[in-house]
């Protein structure tokens, strides 16, 4: 925010998607709310408490968590999409939701490009009052059988426990060739987390087109 200087501000919307838990975390700095198109064709405006734009004050920002079902689509946009000389923002967002709902009435979910065309409506070809930025993201999720997840107490023995759980899980997944490297990786990161954590740490292994290892703790000392 400091780099904007005293004469400039910017709005920002930040969304974090968890494909394992199928959850979406949203925080808003003075931006327009995102729209979620559900797999059943329902349309929902995700209202997060609007904090001040970046560069205005130093207040904090609240986050809102919501369910993000596989097959759902998140639409992010700028005010040029919903605000014009003859339409306020509220009316513009309502019209946007109506266009998205109409586009989703078919037997299959519309392609993202088709969905963006529907969101633009007549703005896609005619004159407009402002530039438009539009982003659509579809949630795929991760199958439960490709995820292993544990909570572990922050004790000196935890790194060894993490190695054993990792070895057993990779064997079940048929990834024996990765056991040695992954055990070392998990052991080092878990041991580091144990040094700083005061509450249980988490270990999560994800097996998709690659193997991902995630360790979480409650410490703010190190990432």
């Amino acid at each position: 925010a400091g780099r904007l200087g005293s004469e400039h501000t910017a709005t920002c919307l930040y969304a974090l998607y968890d494909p394992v838990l199928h959850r979406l975390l949203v925080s808003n700095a003075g931006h327009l709310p995102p729209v979620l198109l559900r797999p059943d064709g329902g349309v929902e405006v995700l209202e997060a408490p609007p904090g001040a734009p970046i560069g205005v004050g130093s207040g904090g920002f609240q986050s809102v968590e919501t369910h993000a079902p596989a097959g759902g689509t998140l639409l992010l946009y700028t005010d040029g999409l919903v605000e014009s000389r003859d339409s306020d923002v509220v009316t513009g967002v309502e019209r946007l939701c109506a266009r998205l709902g109409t586009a989703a009435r078919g037997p299959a979910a519309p392609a993202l490009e088709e969905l963006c065309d529907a969101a633009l409506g007549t703005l896609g070809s005619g004159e407009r009052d402002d530039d438009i930025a539009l982003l659509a993201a579809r949630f795929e999720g991760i199958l439960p059988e490709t995820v292993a997840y544990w909570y572990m107490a922050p004790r000196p023995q935890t790194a060894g426990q993490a190695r054993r759980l990792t070895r057993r899980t990779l064997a079940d997944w048929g990834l024996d060739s990765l056991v040695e490297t992954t055990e070392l990786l998990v052991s080092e990161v878990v041991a580091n987390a144990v040094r700083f954590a005061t509450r249980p740490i988490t270990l999560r292994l994800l097996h998709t087109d690659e193997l991902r290892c995630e360790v979480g703790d409650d410490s703010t000392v190190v990432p």
Side-chain angles (χ1 to χ4, degrees):
R3 296 179 183 177
L4 293 174
S6 59
E7 300 179 358
H8 302 281
T9 63
T11 63
C12 178
L13 183 76
Y14 197 94
L16 184 65
Y17 171 58
D18 189 325
V20 177
L21 300 178
H22 294 194
R23 304 295 293 177
L24 184 70
L25 190 67
V26 179
S27 188
N28 189 350
H31 200 73
L32 292 169
V35 173
L36 178 64
L37 178 63
R38 300 192 177 278
D40 61 4
V43 183
E44 179 183 356
V45 178
L46 301 182
E47 297 286 358
I54 297 174
V56 178
S58 58
F61 301 96
Q62 293 180 273
S63 297
V64 169
E65 188 175 11
T66 186
H67 179 53
T73 306
L74 184 70
L75 198 76
L76 310 176
Y77 54 93
T78 56
D79 56 3
L81 181 66
V82 294
E83 186 176 28
S84 65
R85 282 168 290 188
D86 60 353
S87 174
D88 59 26
V89 171
V90 174
T91 302
V93 172
E94 291 175 350
R95 291 175 178 173
L96 170 63
C97 291
R99 292 196 297 270
L100 294 174
T102 300
R105 285 177 185 167
L112 291 183
E113 187 171 352
E114 296 175 4
L115 200 61
C116 288
D117 288 342
L120 286 169
T122 57
L123 295 174
S125 56
E127 293 185 3
R128 50 183 182 262
D129 300 327
D130 196 1
D131 292 336
I132 297 173
L134 182 61
L135 174 66
R138 180 153 292 154
F139 304 128
E140 295 183 356
I142 293 178
L143 296 174
E145 57 265 29
T146 64
V147 181
Y149 199 102
W150 302 276
Y151 289 92
M152 295 178 289
R155 301 177 301 179
Q157 304 93 323
T158 299
Q161 178 189 6
R163 286 195 301 271
R164 291 190 296 272
L165 292 169
T166 298
R167 187 184 315 121
R168 186 173 63 202
T169 301
L170 265 58
D172 291 341
W173 287 343
L175 300 178
D176 299 88
S177 62
L178 298 179
V179 168
E180 184 176 351
T181 302
T182 308
E183 272 194 55
L184 178 61
L185 168 68
V186 167
S187 181
E188 290 290 333
V189 179
V190 167
N192 187 68
V194 166
R195 290 175 55 201
F196 298 99
T198 58
R199 291 185 290 183
I201 65 174
T202 60
L203 170 61
R204 186 162 73 176
L205 304 178
L206 308 175
H207 178 209
T208 54
D209 55 341
E210 61 183 8
L211 178 64
R212 182 181 179 93
C213 307
E214 300 176 345
V215 175
D217 62 61
D218 65 334
S219 173
T220 59
V221 176
V222 294

